[in-house]
Coordinates of all heavy atoms in Angstrom, one line a residue:
M1 N 0.8 -1.2 0.0 CA 0.0 0.0 0.0 C 0.9 1.2 0.0 O 1.9 1.3 0.6 CB -0.9 0.0 1.2 CG -1.8 1.2 1.3 SD -3.0 0.9 2.7 CE -4.0 2.4 2.4
R2 N 0.5 2.2 -0.7 CA 1.2 3.5 -0.8 C 1.1 4.3 0.5 O 0.2 4.1 1.2 CB 0.6 4.4 -1.9 CG 0.9 3.9 -3.3 CD 0.3 4.9 -4.3 NE 0.6 4.4 -5.7 CZ -0.2 3.5 -6.3 NH1 -1.2 3.0 -5.7 NH2 0.1 3.0 -7.5
Q3 N 2.1 5.1 0.6 CA 2.2 6.1 1.7 C 2.1 7.5 1.1 O 2.4 7.7 0.0 CB 3.4 5.9 2.5 CG 3.5 4.6 3.2 CD 4.8 4.4 4.1 OE1 5.7 5.3 4.0 NE2 4.8 3.4 4.9
I4 N 1.7 8.4 2.0 CA 1.7 9.8 1.5 C 2.9 10.6 2.0 O 3.3 10.5 3.2 CB 0.4 10.5 2.0 CG1 -0.8 9.9 1.5 CG2 0.4 12.0 1.6 CD1 -2.1 10.5 2.0
D5 N 3.5 11.3 1.1 CA 4.7 12.2 1.5 C 4.3 13.6 1.1 O 4.1 13.9 -0.1 CB 5.9 11.7 0.7 CG 7.1 12.5 1.1 OD1 7.2 13.0 2.2 OD2 8.0 12.7 0.2
F6 N 4.2 14.5 2.0 CA 3.9 15.9 1.8 C 5.1 16.8 1.7 O 6.1 16.5 2.5 CB 3.0 16.5 2.9 CG 1.6 15.9 3.0 CD1 1.4 14.8 3.8 CD2 0.6 16.6 2.4 CE1 0.1 14.3 4.0 CE2 -0.7 16.1 2.5 CZ -1.0 15.0 3.3
T7 N 5.1 17.7 0.8 CA 6.2 18.8 0.9 C 5.8 19.6 2.1 O 4.7 19.6 2.6 CB 6.2 19.7 -0.4 OG1 4.9 20.3 -0.5 CG2 6.5 18.9 -1.6
K8 N 6.8 20.4 2.6 CA 6.5 21.2 3.8 C 5.4 22.2 3.4 O 4.5 22.5 4.2 CB 7.7 22.0 4.2 CG 8.7 21.0 4.9 CD 9.9 21.8 5.3 CE 10.9 20.8 6.0 NZ 12.0 21.4 6.6
S9 N 5.4 22.7 2.2 CA 4.4 23.7 1.8 C 3.0 23.1 1.8 O 2.0 23.7 2.3 CB 4.7 24.2 0.4 OG 3.7 25.0 -0.1
A10 N 2.9 21.9 1.2 CA 1.5 21.2 1.2 C 1.0 20.9 2.6 O -0.1 21.1 2.9 CB 1.6 20.0 0.3
E11 N 1.9 20.4 3.4 CA 1.6 20.1 4.8 C 1.1 21.4 5.6 O 0.1 21.3 6.3 CB 2.7 19.4 5.5 CG 2.4 18.9 6.9 CD 3.5 18.1 7.5 OE1 4.6 18.0 6.9 OE2 3.3 17.6 8.6
R12 N 1.8 22.4 5.4 CA 1.5 23.7 6.0 C 0.1 24.2 5.5 O -0.7 24.7 6.3 CB 2.6 24.7 5.8 CG 2.4 26.0 6.5 CD 3.6 27.0 6.3 NE 4.3 26.9 5.0 CZ 5.5 26.4 4.8 NH1 6.2 26.0 5.8 NH2 6.0 26.4 3.6
S13 N -0.1 24.1 4.2 CA -1.4 24.5 3.6 C -2.6 23.7 4.2 O -3.6 24.3 4.6 CB -1.4 24.4 2.1 OG -0.5 25.2 1.5
L14 N -2.4 22.4 4.3 CA -3.5 21.6 4.9 C -3.7 21.9 6.3 O -4.9 21.9 6.8 CB -3.1 20.1 4.7 CG -4.2 19.1 5.0 CD1 -5.5 19.4 4.2 CD2 -3.8 17.7 4.7
R15 N -2.7 22.1 7.1 CA -2.8 22.5 8.5 C -3.6 23.8 8.7 O -4.5 23.9 9.5 CB -1.4 22.5 9.2 CG -1.5 22.5 10.7 CD -0.2 22.4 11.4 NE 0.7 21.5 10.8 CZ 1.9 21.8 10.3 NH1 2.4 23.0 10.4 NH2 2.7 20.9 9.8
K16 N -3.2 24.8 7.9 CA -3.9 26.1 8.0 C -5.3 26.0 7.6 O -6.2 26.6 8.2 CB -3.2 27.1 7.1 CG -1.9 27.7 7.6 CD -1.4 28.8 6.7 CE -0.2 29.4 7.3 NZ 0.4 30.5 6.4
L17 N -5.6 25.2 6.5 CA -7.0 25.0 6.1 C -7.8 24.3 7.1 O -9.0 24.6 7.3 CB -7.0 24.2 4.8 CG -8.3 24.0 4.1 CD1 -8.9 25.4 3.7 CD2 -8.2 23.2 2.9
A18 N -7.2 23.4 7.9 CA -7.9 22.6 8.9 C -8.3 23.6 10.0 O -9.3 23.4 10.7 CB -7.0 21.5 9.5
E19 N -7.5 24.6 10.3 CA -7.9 25.6 11.3 C -9.0 26.6 10.8 O -9.8 27.0 11.6 CB -6.6 26.5 11.6 CG -5.6 25.7 12.3 CD -4.3 26.5 12.5 OE1 -4.2 27.7 12.1 OE2 -3.3 25.9 13.0
S20 N -9.0 26.9 9.5 CA -10.0 27.9 9.0 C -11.3 27.2 8.5 O -12.3 27.8 8.6 CB -9.3 28.8 8.0 OG -9.0 28.0 6.8
D21 N -11.2 26.1 7.8 CA -12.3 25.4 7.2 C -12.2 23.9 7.4 O -11.7 23.2 6.5 CB -12.4 25.8 5.8 CG -13.7 25.4 5.1 OD1 -14.4 24.5 5.7 OD2 -14.0 25.9 4.0
Q22 N -12.7 23.4 8.5 CA -12.6 22.0 8.8 C -13.3 21.1 7.8 O -12.8 20.0 7.5 CB -13.1 21.7 10.2 CG -12.2 22.3 11.3 CD -12.7 22.0 12.7 OE1 -13.8 21.4 12.9 NE2 -12.0 22.4 13.7
R23 N -14.4 21.6 7.3 CA -15.2 20.7 6.4 C -14.4 20.5 5.1 O -14.3 19.4 4.6 CB -16.5 21.4 6.1 CG -17.4 20.6 5.2 CD -18.7 21.4 4.8 NE -18.5 22.6 4.1 CZ -18.3 22.6 2.8 NH1 -18.2 21.5 2.1 NH2 -18.1 23.8 2.2
L24 N -13.8 21.6 4.6 CA -13.0 21.4 3.3 C -11.7 20.6 3.6 O -11.4 19.8 2.8 CB -12.7 22.8 2.8 CG -12.0 22.8 1.4 CD1 -12.8 22.1 0.4 CD2 -11.7 24.3 1.0
A25 N -11.1 20.8 4.7 CA -9.9 20.1 5.1 C -10.2 18.6 5.1 O -9.5 17.7 4.7 CB -9.3 20.6 6.4
K26 N -11.4 18.3 5.7 CA -11.8 16.9 5.8 C -12.1 16.3 4.4 O -11.7 15.1 4.1 CB -13.1 16.8 6.6 CG -13.5 15.3 6.9 CD -14.8 15.3 7.8 CE -15.2 13.8 8.0 NZ -16.3 13.7 8.9
Q27 N -12.7 17.1 3.5 CA -12.9 16.6 2.1 C -11.5 16.3 1.4 O -11.4 15.3 0.7 CB -13.7 17.6 1.3 CG -15.1 17.8 1.7 CD -15.8 18.9 0.9 OE1 -15.2 19.8 0.4 NE2 -17.1 18.8 0.8
I28 N -10.6 17.2 1.7 CA -9.2 17.0 1.1 C -8.6 15.7 1.6 O -8.0 14.9 0.9 CB -8.3 18.2 1.3 CG1 -8.9 19.4 0.4 CG2 -6.9 17.9 0.9 CD1 -8.2 20.7 0.6
K29 N -8.7 15.5 2.9 CA -8.1 14.3 3.5 C -8.8 13.0 3.0 O -8.1 12.0 2.7 CB -8.3 14.4 5.0 CG -7.4 15.4 5.7 CD -7.6 15.6 7.2 CE -6.7 16.6 7.8 NZ -7.0 16.8 9.2
I30 N -10.1 13.1 2.8 CA -10.8 11.9 2.3 C -10.4 11.7 0.8 O -10.1 10.5 0.4 CB -12.3 12.2 2.3 CG1 -12.8 12.1 3.8 CG2 -13.1 11.2 1.5 CD1 -14.2 12.5 4.0
K31 N -10.2 12.7 0.1 CA -9.7 12.6 -1.3 C -8.3 11.9 -1.3 O -8.0 11.0 -2.1 CB -9.7 13.9 -2.0 CG -9.1 13.9 -3.4 CD -9.9 13.0 -4.4 CE -11.1 13.8 -4.8 NZ -11.8 13.0 -5.8
L32 N -7.4 12.4 -0.4 CA -6.1 11.9 -0.3 C -6.1 10.4 0.0 O -5.3 9.6 -0.5 CB -5.2 12.7 0.7 CG -4.9 14.1 0.2 CD1 -4.2 14.8 1.4 CD2 -4.0 14.1 -1.0
L33 N -6.9 10.0 1.0 CA -7.0 8.6 1.4 C -7.5 7.7 0.2 O -7.0 6.6 0.0 CB -7.9 8.5 2.6 CG -7.3 9.0 3.9 CD1 -8.4 8.9 5.0 CD2 -6.1 8.3 4.3
G34 N -8.4 8.3 -0.6 CA -8.9 7.5 -1.7 C -7.8 7.4 -2.8 O -7.7 6.4 -3.5
M35 N -7.0 8.4 -2.9 CA -5.9 8.4 -3.9 C -4.8 7.4 -3.5 O -4.0 7.0 -4.4 CB -5.3 9.8 -4.1 CG -6.3 10.7 -4.8 SD -5.9 12.5 -4.7 CE -4.2 12.5 -5.2
L36 N -4.8 7.0 -2.3 CA -3.8 5.9 -1.9 C -4.2 4.6 -2.6 O -3.3 3.9 -3.0 CB -3.8 5.7 -0.4 CG -3.1 6.8 0.5 CD1 -3.4 6.5 1.9 CD2 -1.7 6.9 0.1
Q37 N -5.4 4.3 -2.7 CA -5.9 3.1 -3.4 C -5.9 3.3 -4.9 O -5.5 2.4 -5.7 CB -7.3 2.8 -3.0 CG -7.4 2.4 -1.5 CD -6.6 1.2 -1.1 OE1 -6.6 0.3 -1.8 NE2 -5.9 1.3 0.0
E38 N -6.4 4.5 -5.4 CA -6.5 4.8 -6.8 C -5.8 6.1 -7.1 O -6.4 7.2 -7.0 CB -8.0 4.8 -7.3 CG -8.2 5.2 -8.7 CD -7.5 4.3 -9.7 OE1 -7.6 3.1 -9.5 OE2 -6.8 4.8 -10.6
P39 N -4.5 6.1 -7.3 CA -3.7 7.3 -7.4 C -4.1 8.2 -8.6 O -3.7 9.4 -8.7 CB -2.3 6.9 -7.5 CG -2.4 5.5 -8.0 CD -3.7 4.9 -7.5
Q40 N -4.8 7.7 -9.6 CA -5.1 8.5 -10.7 C -6.7 8.3 -11.0 O -7.1 7.7 -11.9 CB -4.4 8.0 -12.0 CG -4.3 9.0 -13.1 CD -3.3 8.7 -14.1 OE1 -2.6 7.7 -14.0 NE2 -3.2 9.5 -15.1
P41 N -7.5 9.0 -10.1 CA -8.9 8.9 -10.3 C -9.3 9.6 -11.6 O -8.6 10.3 -12.2 CB -9.5 9.7 -9.1 CG -8.3 10.6 -8.6 CD -7.1 9.9 -9.0
N42 N -10.6 9.3 -12.0 CA -11.1 9.8 -13.3 C -10.9 11.3 -13.4 O -10.7 11.8 -14.5 CB -12.5 9.4 -13.5 CG -12.6 7.9 -13.8 OD1 -11.7 7.2 -14.2 ND2 -13.8 7.3 -13.5
E43 N -11.1 12.0 -12.3 CA -11.1 13.5 -12.4 C -9.7 14.1 -12.4 O -9.6 15.3 -12.5 CB -12.0 14.1 -11.3 CG -11.4 13.9 -9.9 CD -11.9 12.7 -9.2 OE1 -12.4 11.8 -9.8 OE2 -11.7 12.6 -8.0
S44 N -8.7 13.3 -12.3 CA -7.3 13.8 -12.3 C -6.9 14.2 -13.7 O -7.3 13.5 -14.7 CB -6.4 12.8 -11.6 OG -6.2 11.7 -12.5
L45 N -6.1 15.2 -13.8 CA -5.6 15.7 -15.1 C -4.1 15.9 -15.0 O -3.6 16.3 -14.0 CB -6.3 17.0 -15.5 CG -7.8 16.9 -15.7 CD1 -8.4 18.4 -15.8 CD2 -8.2 16.1 -16.9
K46 N -3.4 15.6 -16.1 CA -2.0 15.9 -16.2 C -1.8 17.4 -16.2 O -2.5 18.1 -16.9 CB -1.4 15.2 -17.4 CG -1.4 13.7 -17.3 CD -0.7 13.1 -18.4 CE -0.7 11.5 -18.2 NZ 0.0 10.9 -19.3
M47 N -0.7 17.8 -15.6 CA -0.3 19.2 -15.7 C 0.2 19.6 -17.0 O 1.1 18.9 -17.5 CB 0.7 19.6 -14.6 CG 0.2 19.4 -13.2 SD -1.1 20.6 -12.7 CE -0.1 22.1 -12.7
V48 N -0.3 20.7 -17.6 CA 0.2 21.1 -18.9 C 1.7 21.6 -18.7 O 2.0 22.3 -17.8 CB -0.7 22.3 -19.4 CG1 -0.1 22.9 -20.7 CG2 -2.1 21.8 -19.6
G49 N 2.5 21.1 -19.6 CA 3.9 21.4 -19.5 C 4.8 20.6 -18.6 O 6.0 20.6 -18.6
N50 N 4.1 19.8 -17.8 CA 4.8 18.9 -16.9 C 4.0 17.7 -16.6 O 3.4 17.5 -15.5 CB 5.2 19.6 -15.6 CG 6.3 19.0 -14.8 OD1 6.6 17.8 -15.1 ND2 7.0 19.7 -14.0
P51 N 3.8 16.8 -17.5 CA 2.9 15.6 -17.4 C 3.3 14.6 -16.3 O 2.5 13.7 -16.1 CB 2.9 15.0 -18.8 CG 4.2 15.4 -19.4 CD 4.5 16.8 -18.8
E52 N 4.4 14.7 -15.7 CA 4.8 13.8 -14.6 C 3.9 14.1 -13.4 O 3.6 13.2 -12.6 CB 6.2 14.0 -14.2 CG 6.6 13.2 -13.0 CD 8.1 13.6 -12.6 OE1 8.8 14.4 -13.2 OE2 8.5 13.0 -11.5
Y53 N 3.4 15.4 -13.3 CA 2.5 15.8 -12.2 C 1.1 15.8 -12.6 O 0.7 16.0 -13.8 CB 2.9 17.2 -11.7 CG 4.3 17.2 -11.0 CD1 5.4 17.4 -11.8 CD2 4.4 16.9 -9.7 CE1 6.7 17.4 -11.2 CE2 5.6 16.9 -9.1 CZ 6.8 17.1 -9.8 OH 8.0 17.1 -9.2
L54 N 0.2 15.5 -11.6 CA -1.2 15.5 -11.9 C -1.9 16.5 -10.9 O -1.3 16.9 -10.0 CB -1.8 14.1 -11.6 CG -1.2 13.0 -12.5 CD1 -0.8 11.8 -11.7 CD2 -2.2 12.6 -13.6
R55 N -3.1 16.8 -11.3 CA -3.9 17.7 -10.4 C -5.3 17.1 -10.2 O -5.8 16.4 -11.1 CB -4.0 19.1 -10.9 CG -4.7 19.2 -12.2 CD -4.7 20.6 -12.8 NE -5.0 20.7 -14.2 CZ -6.2 21.0 -14.7 NH1 -7.1 21.3 -13.8 NH2 -6.4 21.0 -15.9
V56 N -5.8 17.3 -9.0 CA -7.2 16.9 -8.8 C -7.9 18.0 -8.0 O -7.3 18.8 -7.3 CB -7.2 15.6 -8.0 CG1 -6.7 15.7 -6.6 CG2 -8.6 15.0 -8.0
R57 N -9.1 18.2 -8.3 CA -9.9 19.3 -7.8 C -10.7 18.8 -6.5 O -11.3 17.8 -6.5 CB -10.9 19.8 -8.8 CG -11.6 21.0 -8.5 CD -12.5 21.4 -9.7 NE -13.9 21.4 -9.1 CZ -15.0 21.5 -9.9 NH1 -14.9 21.5 -11.2 NH2 -16.1 21.5 -9.3
V58 N -10.7 19.7 -5.5 CA -11.5 19.5 -4.3 C -12.1 20.9 -4.0 O -11.4 21.7 -3.4 CB -10.7 19.0 -3.1 CG1 -11.7 18.8 -1.9 CG2 -10.1 17.7 -3.4
G59 N -13.3 21.1 -4.4 CA -13.9 22.5 -4.3 C -13.1 23.5 -5.0 O -12.8 23.3 -6.2
K60 N -12.7 24.6 -4.3 CA -11.9 25.7 -5.0 C -10.4 25.4 -4.9 O -9.6 26.1 -5.3 CB -12.2 27.0 -4.3 CG -13.6 27.5 -4.5 CD -13.7 28.9 -3.8 CE -15.1 29.4 -4.1 NZ -15.3 30.7 -3.4
Y61 N -10.1 24.2 -4.3 CA -8.7 23.9 -4.1 C -8.2 22.9 -5.1 O -9.0 22.1 -5.6 CB -8.5 23.4 -2.7 CG -8.4 24.5 -1.7 CD1 -9.5 25.1 -1.2 CD2 -7.1 24.8 -1.2 CE1 -9.4 26.2 -0.3 CE2 -7.0 25.9 -0.2 CZ -8.1 26.5 0.2 OH -8.0 27.5 1.1
R62 N -6.9 22.9 -5.4 CA -6.3 21.9 -6.2 C -5.2 21.2 -5.5 O -4.5 21.8 -4.7 CB -5.7 22.6 -7.5 CG -6.7 23.3 -8.3 CD -7.8 22.4 -8.9 NE -8.7 23.2 -9.8 CZ -9.8 23.7 -9.4 NH1 -10.2 23.7 -8.1 NH2 -10.6 24.3 -10.2
I63 N -5.1 19.9 -5.7 CA -4.0 19.1 -5.2 C -3.1 18.8 -6.3 O -3.5 18.1 -7.3 CB -4.5 17.8 -4.5 CG1 -5.5 18.2 -3.4 CG2 -3.3 17.0 -4.0 CD1 -6.2 17.0 -2.8
I64 N -1.8 19.2 -6.3 CA -0.8 18.9 -7.3 C 0.0 17.7 -6.7 O 0.5 17.8 -5.6 CB 0.1 20.1 -7.6 CG1 -0.7 21.3 -7.9 CG2 1.1 19.7 -8.7 CD1 -1.6 21.2 -9.2
Y65 N 0.2 16.7 -7.5 CA 0.9 15.5 -6.9 C 1.5 14.6 -8.0 O 1.2 14.9 -9.2 CB -0.1 14.6 -6.1 CG -1.2 13.9 -7.0 CD1 -1.0 12.6 -7.3 CD2 -2.3 14.6 -7.4 CE1 -2.0 12.0 -8.1 CE2 -3.2 14.0 -8.2 CZ -3.1 12.7 -8.5 OH -4.0 12.0 -9.3
R66 N 2.3 13.7 -7.6 CA 2.8 12.6 -8.5 C 2.8 11.3 -7.7 O 2.7 11.4 -6.4 CB 4.1 12.9 -9.1 CG 5.2 13.0 -8.1 CD 6.5 13.5 -8.8 NE 7.6 13.6 -7.8 CZ 8.4 12.6 -7.5 NH1 8.2 11.4 -8.0 NH2 9.3 12.8 -6.6
F67 N 3.0 10.2 -8.3 CA 3.0 9.0 -7.5 C 3.9 7.9 -8.2 O 4.2 8.0 -9.4 CB 1.6 8.4 -7.4 CG 0.9 8.0 -8.7 CD1 1.0 6.6 -9.0 CD2 0.3 8.8 -9.5 CE1 0.4 6.2 -10.2 CE2 -0.3 8.4 -10.7 CZ -0.2 7.1 -11.0
D68 N 4.3 6.9 -7.4 CA 4.9 5.8 -7.9 C 4.3 4.6 -7.2 O 3.3 4.7 -6.6 CB 6.5 5.9 -7.8 CG 6.9 6.0 -6.4 OD1 6.2 5.6 -5.5 OD2 8.0 6.5 -6.2
E69 N 5.0 3.4 -7.3 CA 4.4 2.2 -6.7 C 4.2 2.2 -5.2 O 3.4 1.6 -4.7 CB 5.3 1.0 -7.1 CG 5.3 0.7 -8.6 CD 3.9 0.4 -9.1 OE1 3.2 -0.4 -8.5 OE2 3.6 0.9 -10.2
T70 N 5.1 3.0 -4.5 CA 5.1 3.0 -3.1 C 4.7 4.3 -2.4 O 4.4 4.3 -1.2 CB 6.5 2.6 -2.5 OG1 7.4 3.6 -3.0 CG2 6.9 1.2 -3.0
M71 N 4.7 5.4 -3.2 CA 4.5 6.7 -2.6 C 3.5 7.6 -3.4 O 3.5 7.5 -4.6 CB 5.8 7.4 -2.5 CG 6.3 8.1 -1.3 SD 5.8 7.6 0.3 CE 7.3 7.4 1.1
L72 N 2.8 8.4 -2.7 CA 2.0 9.4 -3.2 C 2.6 10.7 -2.8 O 2.6 11.0 -1.6 CB 0.5 9.3 -2.8 CG -0.5 10.3 -3.3 CD1 -0.7 10.0 -4.8 CD2 -1.8 10.1 -2.6
Y73 N 3.2 11.5 -3.7 CA 3.9 12.7 -3.3 C 3.0 13.9 -3.5 O 2.7 14.2 -4.7 CB 5.2 12.9 -4.2 CG 6.1 11.7 -4.1 CD1 6.1 10.7 -5.0 CD2 7.1 11.7 -3.1 CE1 7.0 9.6 -4.9 CE2 8.0 10.6 -3.0 CZ 7.9 9.6 -3.9 OH 8.8 8.5 -3.8
I74 N 2.6 14.5 -2.4 CA 1.7 15.7 -2.5 C 2.6 16.9 -2.5 O 3.3 17.2 -1.6 CB 0.8 15.8 -1.3 CG1 0.0 14.5 -1.1 CG2 -0.2 17.0 -1.4 CD1 -0.8 14.0 -2.3
V75 N 2.6 17.6 -3.7 CA 3.5 18.7 -3.9 C 2.9 20.1 -3.4 O 3.6 20.9 -2.8 CB 3.9 18.8 -5.4 CG1 4.8 20.0 -5.7 CG2 4.5 17.5 -5.9
L76 N 1.6 20.3 -3.7 CA 1.0 21.5 -3.4 C -0.5 21.4 -3.2 O -1.1 20.6 -3.9 CB 1.3 22.5 -4.6 CG 1.0 24.0 -4.4 CD1 1.7 24.6 -3.3 CD2 1.3 24.7 -5.7
I77 N -1.0 22.1 -2.2 CA -2.4 22.2 -2.0 C -2.7 23.7 -1.9 O -2.2 24.3 -0.9 CB -2.9 21.5 -0.7 CG1 -2.5 20.0 -0.8 CG2 -4.4 21.7 -0.5 CD1 -2.8 19.2 0.5
A78 N -3.5 24.2 -2.8 CA -3.8 25.7 -2.8 C -5.1 26.0 -3.5 O -5.6 25.1 -4.3 CB -2.6 26.5 -3.3
K79 N -5.6 27.2 -3.4 CA -6.7 27.6 -4.2 C -6.4 27.7 -5.6 O -5.2 27.9 -6.0 CB -7.2 29.0 -3.7 CG -7.9 29.0 -2.4 CD -8.5 30.4 -2.1 CE -9.4 30.3 -0.9 NZ -9.9 31.6 -0.6
R80 N -7.4 27.5 -6.4 CA -7.2 27.5 -7.9 C -6.5 28.7 -8.4 O -5.7 28.7 -9.3 CB -8.6 27.3 -8.6 CG -8.5 27.2 -10.1 CD -9.9 27.2 -10.7 NE -10.6 28.5 -10.4 CZ -10.4 29.6 -11.1 NH1 -9.6 29.7 -12.1 NH2 -11.1 30.7 -10.8
E81 N -6.9 29.9 -7.8 CA -6.4 31.2 -8.3 C -4.9 31.3 -8.2 O -4.2 32.0 -9.0 CB -7.0 32.3 -7.5 CG -8.5 32.5 -7.7 CD -9.3 31.6 -6.7 OE1 -8.8 31.3 -5.6 OE2 -10.4 31.3 -7.0
I82 N -4.3 30.6 -7.2 CA -2.8 30.7 -7.0 C -2.0 29.5 -7.2 O -0.8 29.5 -7.3 CB -2.5 31.3 -5.6 CG1 -3.0 30.3 -4.5 CG2 -3.1 32.7 -5.4 CD1 -2.6 30.7 -3.1
V83 N -2.7 28.3 -7.3 CA -1.9 27.1 -7.3 C -1.0 27.0 -8.5 O 0.1 26.5 -8.4 CB -2.8 25.8 -7.2 CG1 -3.6 25.6 -8.5 CG2 -2.1 24.6 -6.8
Y84 N -1.4 27.4 -9.7 CA -0.6 27.3 -10.9 C 0.5 28.2 -10.9 O 1.6 27.9 -11.4 CB -1.5 27.4 -12.1 CG -2.7 26.4 -12.1 CD1 -4.0 26.8 -11.9 CD2 -2.4 25.1 -12.2 CE1 -5.0 25.9 -11.9 CE2 -3.4 24.1 -12.2 CZ -4.7 24.6 -12.0 OH -5.7 23.6 -11.9
E85 N 0.4 29.4 -10.3 CA 1.5 30.3 -10.2 C 2.5 29.8 -9.2 O 3.7 29.9 -9.5 CB 1.0 31.7 -9.7 CG 0.1 32.4 -10.6 CD -0.6 33.6 -10.0 OE1 -0.2 34.0 -8.8 OE2 -1.5 34.2 -10.6
E86 N 2.1 29.2 -8.1 CA 3.1 28.7 -7.2 C 3.8 27.4 -7.7 O 4.9 27.2 -7.3 CB 2.3 28.3 -5.8 CG 1.9 29.5 -5.1 CD 1.3 29.2 -3.7 OE1 1.6 28.1 -3.2 OE2 0.6 30.0 -3.1
F87 N 3.1 26.6 -8.5 CA 3.7 25.4 -9.0 C 4.7 25.7 -10.1 O 5.7 25.0 -10.2 CB 2.6 24.5 -9.6 CG 3.2 23.2 -10.1 CD1 3.7 22.2 -9.3 CD2 3.2 22.9 -11.5 CE1 4.2 21.0 -9.7 CE2 3.7 21.8 -12.0 CZ 4.2 20.8 -11.1
A88 N 4.5 26.8 -10.9 CA 5.4 27.1 -12.0 C 6.8 27.4 -11.6 O 7.3 27.5 -10.6 CB 4.8 28.3 -12.8

């Protein structure tokens, strides 16, 4: 079974979100747990210009990640308006 590895930025974003909007943070955590079993759900899309990374939508937030056989690497969790600028 895969494990989740967060960048410091993604972990910090999720922690701040849990303080401000517990419902949305819970939805993101549920999505992440589901991605451990199915790392490329139907709604995931490859990042334009960097197809090694994928993105998945949870409300107004996007999760940028990649995966291999043993790990799910969460690179960034942020609002749609800023996630692509921060990822670039």
